[in-house]
Amino acid sequence: MGLFLLTAMAKQQKKTKQNYSDISSTRPVLCPDGKYRWVYDVPMLKNPSILLEVFWVLGISFGAVWLFVLLMVGCESRHLLADLWDVTRGFLVLMAVFLVLGCVAYFFVSWYYGWKYSILFIMDEQEVVHKQLPSTVSKARAIGKLTAMGGTPSMVGMGILIANRTSLSCSYSSVRRIIACRRQHLIKVRERFSRNMVFVGDEDFDFVYDFLCQHCPQARIG
């Protein structure tokens, strides 16, 4: 049923696909409204930035749960070291399983997206916006709906998030750190509770990086 839904939505997307070459260039272009716009296609297999970001979030989640369980066990255990090691070993095994499943899922999503993730960036004096292009949005929503059918509360929550979140804006006043990853054509823009990813080609990397650094007064550079 899930495979049928994916196939049907992919066929429908091909029928309704528009030409978005007029929206923006692959290089930052200053538009009449005073905003820079450009499109970047992330090669999902050659550039592992998105996968590493997923693993980072997964690691934070596992770490928080692991610490909570350790505190619970530590308060009740009579054989503290042995019990703590048993809990830690179980979490390590579980994390290894999730890493493997994550790689498999990432490969499937990469194949479904045509091995690239297309993003429209909009940058002005107040914020930078990371927005999925419409062709990618419909696929993300399809995957999100299928994920929501998984049944468990965590899977349902993940599915709802994927299905509805198609853009991420980052206000300069709340940026806490900017990190340049030139090899990945990536500039990481960190807020307190949000992590944005700005991709740009080599020829314009310094321009976008300098622009963001100059407009984020609270950010730590590097």
Side-chain angles (χ1 to χ4, degrees), residues 10-189:
K11 291 181 178 179
Q12 180 65 26
Q13 179 60 30
K14 288 182 180 180
K15 294 180 181 179
T16 59
K17 186 176 181 181
Q18 303 176 29
N19 182 6
Y20 292 95
S21 59
D22 295 335
I23 291 180
S24 59
S25 168
T26 56
R27 300 188 62 179
V29 173
L30 182 60
C31 300
D33 60 358
K35 299 182 179 183
Y36 288 93
R37 289 178 171 85
W38 72 95
V39 169
Y40 191 91
D41 292 330
V42 182
M44 298 182 70
L45 294 185
K46 294 181 179 179
N47 190 334
S49 302
I50 297 175
L51 178 61
L52 294 177
E53 194 73 11
V54 172
F55 283 162
W56 171 262
V57 174
L58 184 63
I60 294 295
S61 302
F62 265 94
V65 176
W66 172 69
L67 287 176
F68 177 77
V69 174
L70 283 186
L71 289 175
M72 295 292 292
V73 172
C75 292
E76 301 178 359
S77 175
R78 294 184 178 180
H79 306 283
L80 184 60
L81 292 179
D83 290 340
L84 292 182
W85 169 243
D86 288 340
V87 171
T88 301
R89 182 173 54 188
F91 268 88
L92 290 176
V93 172
L94 188 61
M95 180 175 289
V97 172
F98 269 85
L99 287 176
V100 173
L101 292 178
C103 290
V104 173
Y106 183 79
F107 182 85
F108 168 76
V109 172
S110 300
W111 166 78
Y112 188 57
Y113 279 174
W115 311 111
K116 66 180 181 179
Y117 178 71
S118 300
I119 316 166
L120 169 65
F121 292 100
I122 306 172
M123 184 176 69
D124 59 17
E125 298 293 325
Q126 286 76 42
E127 64 178 4
V128 59
V129 180
H130 168 138
K131 181 177 294 186
Q132 291 175 274
L133 287 180
S135 59
T136 308
V137 168
S138 63
K139 294 177 180 179
R141 285 176 175 166
I143 293 175
K145 291 177 181 179
L146 289 176
T147 304
M149 295 175 186
T152 64
S154 60
M155 291 296 287
V156 172
M158 184 186 300
I160 293 174
L161 179 64
I162 294 174
N164 291 281
R165 190 169 188 176
T166 60
S167 67
L168 178 63
S169 61
C170 185
S171 176
Y172 298 146
S173 60
S174 61
V175 174
R176 294 294 178 264
R177 190 175 182 186
I178 300 176
I179 305 172
C181 304
R182 193 176 295 272
R183 289 185 178 181
Q184 289 78 41
H185 305 144
L186 169 64
I187 303 171
K188 299 179 181 180
V189 183

